[in-house]
Amino acid sequence: MMVKLTAVCLVGLALLASFCDGQSWGGYQKPSVPQNPTKQKPAEPPQQKHTFEKELTWTYPSDPQPEPKVDVPFEQRYPVPAATVAVECREDTAHVEVKKDLFGIGQFIDPADLTLGTCAAVAEDTAAHVLIYESALHQCGSVLTSTDTSLVYTFTLNYSPKPLGSAPVVRTSQAAVIVECHYPRKHNVSSLPLDPLWVPFSAVKMAEEFLYFSLKLMTDDFLHERPSYQYFLGDLIRIEATVKQYFHVPLRVYVDNCVATLSPDSTSNPRYAFIDNHGCMLDGRITGSDSKFLARTVENKLQFQLEAFRFQGANSGLIYITCHLIATSASHAIDTEHRACSYTGGWKEASGADAVCGSCESSGFEVHVPTGVIPGTSAHGSGSHHGAGDAKIPGGGHPKDTTKKRPWRDVSQAEVLEWEGDVTLGPIPIEEKRVSETKN
């Protein structure tokens, strides 16, 4: 039975195969199967470059570049001391006129902020913008001093600005201007109707005795007066002392001593005597600075330089310099009381007479003080007006005062005629130099 079923199945399969072959005869061919079939990717359409009708002009912005530096015609302008105060010394009054633009900066001051001593202005010239002050010689807080030949009335113009409105600011700073009136203690008196046709001998002698001492801030080459009083720490303050001799025989000027203070009063504290002991430049010896006298080239002039400083612990950067000047005949030999000595590896004299500088070392100072300047011990007379210092010494020539405590002198030598006067220079602002910040 199983054999029959198997035979039937074989016959059926044979018939089915015959039917499939018959179908291929009708035009259908069975595709051949490759030995190793691979997968084919569909064909991609050809790419074309896209173009624009107009060319694009926009681009990404470039990085910012520094602007080129342009040479600008600029010159730093520094303030120049303004000549805005004038004084007329009358017979018994002092007449002072002050421009309302006191500092010369185009900024008018409030008249209530400026007083002559304790007195306010008595009038105002509105057209010229000038304040007028008048005072009797012994009023308004004046100070009377005298020399052998002169009576000196000293007034102080005090400027103390108030804040502007409700704002806590000011556009100007406080200032004090010294005003002096000099009157000769001895002079000729004559009746007005009498007008002699000759010049009296005494008047001629008085004219010959007129002397002017002055101190001026100079440029670095000492050729011109320095227009700015502003200095910074480390700068060299170059000063020239001069005596104008007029009809005198040739004179030689000396800086006997100099003291620096915070106010025009040379007796105030703190003070620093940087020249002392009859012409010894102690600052260079004490602090090791470059302060020194320069070699003398003209007898009636003496030049020196002082390294700028500020007083330790003082908020104000202003200093005043008061010097006691002495003039003698140029024929008089340089000695231990008339000299200009500097310490530059040893004591040297400005005219080459180094032997007279030996006693400078006995001034009782301490060398290499690490805390700025030290208080000086010298105190001298009143100063002159604000700005380049000068002192008029009418009839200033007088024999040496034997009552002064000077070293003894050989009586066999001729007496030395000398003239002397005190001159104040200032105020001189000294500012600190800034140190730039470093960031890491």
Side-chain angles (χ1 to χ4, degrees):
M1 188 64 183
M2 288 296 293
V3 174
K4 290 182 177 182
L5 291 175
T6 302
V8 172
C9 292
L10 291 174
V11 171
L13 289 175
L15 291 176
L16 181 60
S18 298
F19 175 77
C20 291
D21 291 338
Q23 290 294 330
S24 63
W25 293 340
Y28 175 80
Q29 294 182 358
K30 185 178 181 179
S32 61
V33 179
Q35 295 292 331
N36 296 320
T38 58
K39 185 177 181 181
Q40 299 291 330
K41 293 183 179 180
E44 295 180 357
Q47 294 184 353
Q48 295 182 355
K49 184 178 180 181
H50 181 72
T51 59
F52 298 91
E53 296 180 358
K54 295 182 179 180
E55 184 179 356
L56 294 178
T57 59
W58 181 88
T59 59
Y60 283 99
S62 59
D63 295 334
Q65 300 295 326
E67 296 182 359
K69 293 184 178 180
V70 180
D71 292 334
V72 179
F74 173 77
E75 181 179 357
Q76 178 66 48
R77 301 180 62 182
Y78 294 91
V80 178
T84 55
V85 179
V87 58
E88 179 183 357
C89 298
R90 299 175 179 175
E91 184 176 355
D92 58 352
T93 60
H95 179 87
V96 181
E97 296 185 358
V98 183
K99 293 182 180 180
K100 294 185 69 175
D101 185 9
L102 178 63
F103 297 95
I105 58 176
Q107 180 77 27
F108 285 176
I109 64 172
D110 186 350
D113 295 340
L114 183 66
T115 59
L116 180 64
T118 57
C119 301
V122 298
E124 179 180 350
D125 187 344
T126 56
H129 304 293
V130 172
L131 301 175
I132 301 173
Y133 298 81
E134 281 191 353
S135 170
L137 295 178
H138 60 281
Q139 294 180 353
C140 296
S142 66
V143 178
L144 172 62
T145 57
S146 62
T147 64
D148 291 343
T149 57
S150 300
L151 295 174
V152 182
Y153 292 88
T154 303
F155 298 85
T156 303
L157 271 171
N158 295 309
Y159 177 63
S160 300
K162 296 187 295 291
L164 302 174
S166 60
V169 298
V170 293
R171 298 298 184 192
T172 53
S173 57
Q174 293 185 353
V177 182
I178 306 301
V179 178
E180 289 187 349
C181 282
H182 292 246
Y183 295 89
R185 297 181 64 177
K186 301 176 182 179
H187 57 86
N188 292 333
V189 179
S190 62
S191 177
L192 291 178
L194 298 178
D195 187 11
L197 298 179
W198 70 92
V199 179
F201 177 76
S202 59
V204 174
K205 295 301 293 181
M206 179 173 288
E208 292 177 355
E209 295 298 325
F210 269 89
L211 289 180
Y212 284 84
F213 289 104
S214 66
L215 287 177
K216 294 181 180 179
L217 296 179
M218 304 297 290
T219 55
D220 292 346
D221 54 8
F222 280 96
L223 295 180
H224 305 282
E225 185 173 358
R226 195 176 192 269
S228 173
Y229 276 34
Q230 178 67 64
Y231 290 92
F232 296 88
L233 291 179
D235 292 346
L236 290 177
I237 304 175
R238 293 177 169 87
I239 302 175
E240 182 178 84
T242 306
V243 58
K244 296 182 179 180
Q245 57 193 29
Y246 295 99
F247 300 101
H248 279 278
V249 296
L251 298 177
R252 183 185 296 123
V253 67
Y254 300 91
V255 181
D256 189 71
N257 50 65
C258 283
V259 61
T261 54
L262 293 175
S263 70
D265 183 6
S266 60
T267 63
S268 62
N269 285 313
R271 63 182 184 271
Y272 175 44
F274 57 90
I275 299 178
D276 208 349
N277 195 12
H278 308 305
C280 298
M281 178 67 75
L282 301 183
D283 183 68
R285 180 68 172 124
I286 295 173
T287 66
S289 67
D290 198 25
S291 301
K292 63 181 179 180
F293 288 103
L294 275 68
R296 190 190 292 270
T297 57
V298 183
E299 296 294 350
N300 70 321
K301 293 183 180 180
L302 183 59
Q303 300 168 343
F304 62 95
Q305 62 187 27
L306 173 66
E307 191 168 329
F309 61 84
R310 293 166 64 109
F311 281 96
Q312 184 180 14
N315 295 328
S316 173
L318 299 179
I319 64 171
Y320 292 81
I321 295 176
T322 301
C323 294
H324 185 68
L325 306 183
I326 293 178
T328 65
S329 171
S331 60
H332 174 63
I334 298 173
D335 55 26
T336 56
E337 296 182 17
H338 307 88
R339 58 189 177 182
C341 297
S342 307
Y343 189 85
T344 55
W347 289 102
K348 307 293 182 181
E349 210 282 328
S351 298
D354 300 342
V356 302
C357 297
S359 59
C360 287
E361 197 68 23
S362 63
S363 300
F365 52 80
E366 295 182 4
V367 181
H368 302 305
V369 177
T371 56
V373 302
I374 62 174
T377 57
S378 298
H380 307 294
S382 61
S384 66
H385 58 74
H386 168 81
D390 62 72
K392 176 183 177 182
I393 313 298
H398 63 276
K400 182 182 296 295
D401 186 358
T402 57
T403 63
K404 295 181 180 179
K405 295 181 179 179
R406 296 257 187 179
W408 63 273
R409 183 184 301 275
D410 188 354
V411 295
S412 63
Q413 298 181 359
E415 189 69 19
V416 180
L417 290 178
E418 67 177 26
W419 297 259
E420 53 190 356
D422 294 337
V423 188
T424 297
L425 185 63
I428 302 175
I430 309 294
E431 294 188 6
E432 298 178 353
K433 288 187 176 180
R434 302 291 183 182
V435 178
S436 60
E437 295 182 357
T438 303
K439 296 183 179 180
N440 190 359

